[in-house]
Amino acid sequence: MDAAGQESFREFVAGRSSALLRTAVLLSGGDRHAAEDLLQNALIKAAGRWQRIDEPEAYVRRILYRQQVSRWRLKWRRRELTVAEPPESAGDADGAAGVELRLVMRGALARLTARQRTVLVLRYFEDLPEGEVARILGCSVGTVRSTTHRSLARLRALAPELAALGPAVAEQEPSRDFSPVEVRP
């Protein structure tokens, strides 16, 4: 890579790494260390082809998704992730409802399977259509739909407290930390 390419790559990493890391954290179930590894590997792969990439962020995100799919396809990588319980809410006056929602959502996402988590992140956090998710994951649109349906049902079962947060959350502006997931009582 020439000097201009190196500078361009450095600017991209400096400007977009925090957003890409948030996506990687969600894909890895809240495991920040695994997310950092996922992002670092994606950036290494992108650096090797930097001069030929037209849309760098889309390219790096696609690498993130595909690497995560590869990880959950490898059976030996499956292990249980221990997640601490979220703290009790002190009150909603200081915006604790939004913080509590993120903690509950992060904990619930971490307890989903990697495939379920990946589908929900792509559909609701990245706001990708079902066809695009199917293409990224290498499966049919029907598989994406059924996995989404089962994942949301499991998310509701794992975190029934999301229903209690529903009205307070609906009044807040949507956060990019987690896309709102319809929660039915």
Side-chain angles (χ1 to χ4, degrees), residues 3 17 24 34-35 41 51 74 82 85 91 114 118 130 132-133 153 176:
S17 62
N41 290 336
Q51 300 293 354
L74 295 173
T82 306
E85 292 294 321
T118 301
E130 291 168 338
E132 181 69 12
V133 174
R176 286 300 290 168

Side-chain angles (χ1 to χ4, degrees), residues 58-128:
Y59 187 83
V60 172
R61 286 182 185 273
R62 188 171 299 118
I63 293 171
L64 285 173
Y65 307 144
R66 289 185 176 167
Q67 279 185 214
Q68 184 62 23
V69 167
S70 295
R71 283 183 177 188
W72 54 255
R73 283 185 177 158
L74 295 173
K75 293 182 182 181
W76 64 270
R77 293 280 300 169
R78 294 183 189 230
R79 62 179 191 244
E80 186 173 330
L81 178 65
T82 306
V83 179
E85 292 294 321
E88 295 294 348
S89 172
D92 294 335
D94 60 346
V99 172
E100 183 177 350
L101 172 65
R102 285 191 295 276
L103 288 172
V104 169
M105 184 65 78
R106 182 170 286 152
L109 282 172
R111 291 181 288 184
L112 294 175
T113 67
R115 182 181 188 108
Q116 290 173 329
R117 187 172 49 250
T118 301
V119 168
L120 290 181
V121 168
L122 291 174
R123 285 286 292 130
Y124 296 105
F125 180 75
E126 294 294 327
D127 199 27
L128 295 177

Side-chain angles (χ1 to χ4, degrees), residues 126-184:
E126 294 294 327
D127 199 27
L128 295 177
E130 291 168 338
E132 181 69 12
V133 174
R135 189 183 64 72
I136 289 170
L137 298 179
C139 62
S140 70
V141 173
T143 301
V144 170
R145 288 179 183 160
S146 63
T147 303
T148 301
H149 176 74
R150 284 191 307 273
S151 302
L152 288 174
R154 184 151 185 243
L155 191 64
R156 288 183 199 105
L158 289 172
E161 59 269 33
L162 290 176
L165 294 174
V169 173
E171 297 169 3
Q172 296 177 1
E173 192 171 311
S175 167
R176 286 300 290 168
D177 286 340
F178 296 102
S179 181
V181 176
E182 180 183 342
V183 178
R184 297 181 196 145

